[in-house]
Amino acid sequence: GDSVTQMEGPVTLSEEAFLTINCTYTATGYPSLFWYVQYPGEGLQLLLKATKADDKGSNKGFEATYRKETTSFHLEKGSVQVSDSAVYFCALSRDYKLSFGAGTTVTVRA
Amino acid sequence: DAGVIQSPRHEVTEMGQEVTLRCKPISGHNSLFWYRQTMMRGLELLIYFNNNVPIDDSGMPEDRFSAKMPNASFSTLKIQPSEPRDSAVYFCASSLGFPSNYGYTFGSGTRLTVV
């Protein structure tokens, strides 16, 4: 079945550091890929998405590129802020179902 | 747009009691999902409704869990009787069509504690 594997956290960074969160997937065909973010005490929010190979999703300074050859969708941000502290989830969709990774907790220190 | 609205935000109940969680999806969305989030199991899809009809309830853990969607603007998830292992954050999400195009919009969740 479909599955998503994310790098384990927690990840702790200083402000303005570069952030990368690795995500790989296992699926047949070409699912759509997503990154969601969950701030403390809140629900998940869609951060960015890509629906086909080589698509780049971007939002709020975050980027991720759908790499079919490596079945990956790594999340990157060039300069993080304290407000980026959250849990980040990689996910793939097939039809109506979203399959989530375990989540990566990111803490950014001032 | 008020987003997906869930109530209550927090619920503490005693083992054996009935618990009802409520959800109001975004107006116009025709798909509704209930998820459960725990540290051990992450995010699990419990049930999916399309146009108010349950399509996939394979994730509902036991007969103690039931979900209804009597109309397009309201859904409930009921646990009867509740057990300590049901303690989790329960999320409702809605979407217009498949998430491939639009993703889901999640509510803020209900944190359930069963003591």
Side-chain angles (χ1 to χ4, degrees), chain B residues 34-47:
Chain B
W34 283 98
Y35 274 83
R36 179 171 67 176
Q37 185 179 37
T38 61
M39 290 293 292
M40 291 297 294
R41 302 172 69 92
L43 281 154
E44 303 172 277
L45 176 63
L46 299 178
I47 189 167

Side-chain angles (χ1 to χ4, degrees), chain A residues 83-105:
Chain A
S83 57
D84 294 323
S85 298
V87 182
Y88 293 82
F89 293 89
C90 186
L92 68 82
S93 76
R94 185 176 306 283
D95 298 330
Y96 59 85
K97 186 172 289 190
L98 268 178
S99 298
F100 289 92
T104 302
T105 300

Side-chain angles (χ1 to χ4, degrees), chain B residues 36-74:
Chain B
R36 179 171 67 176
Q37 185 179 37
T38 61
M39 290 293 292
M40 291 297 294
R41 302 172 69 92
L43 281 154
E44 303 172 277
L45 176 63
L46 299 178
I47 189 167
Y48 158 58
F49 290 90
N50 183 259
N51 293 323
N52 312 337
V53 176
I55 303 299
D56 181 356
D57 64 355
S58 60
M60 296 287 266
E62 302 171 32
D63 291 345
R64 298 185 297 107
F65 286 69
S66 63
K68 294 182 179 179
M69 191 165 186
N71 56 62
S73 58
F74 185 65

Side-chain angles (χ1 to χ4, degrees), chain A residues 9-89:
Chain A
V11 174
T12 302
L13 303 165
S14 297
E15 222 170 8
E16 299 184 3
F18 185 86
L19 170 67
T20 298
I21 304 176
N22 290 341
C23 171
T24 58
Y25 67 90
T26 301
T28 56
Y30 305 104
S32 294
L33 301 175
F34 303 80
W35 278 99
Y36 278 82
V37 59
Q38 184 179 28
Y39 299 103
E42 298 184 12
L44 281 74
Q45 301 175 24
L46 178 62
L47 181 59
L48 53 84
K49 67 180 176 77
T51 57
K52 61 183 186 296
D54 299 325
D55 267 2
K56 177 186 283 188
S58 61
N59 186 27
K60 299 181 181 179
F62 290 90
E63 293 183 341
T65 301
Y66 189 162
R67 302 287 189 197
K68 181 171 70 71
E69 62 276 11
T70 55
T71 62
S72 65
F73 193 54
H74 304 321
L75 182 68
E76 298 181 336
K77 185 173 185 181
S79 177
V80 294
Q81 306 299 313
V82 172
S83 57
D84 294 323
S85 298
V87 182
Y88 293 82
F89 293 89

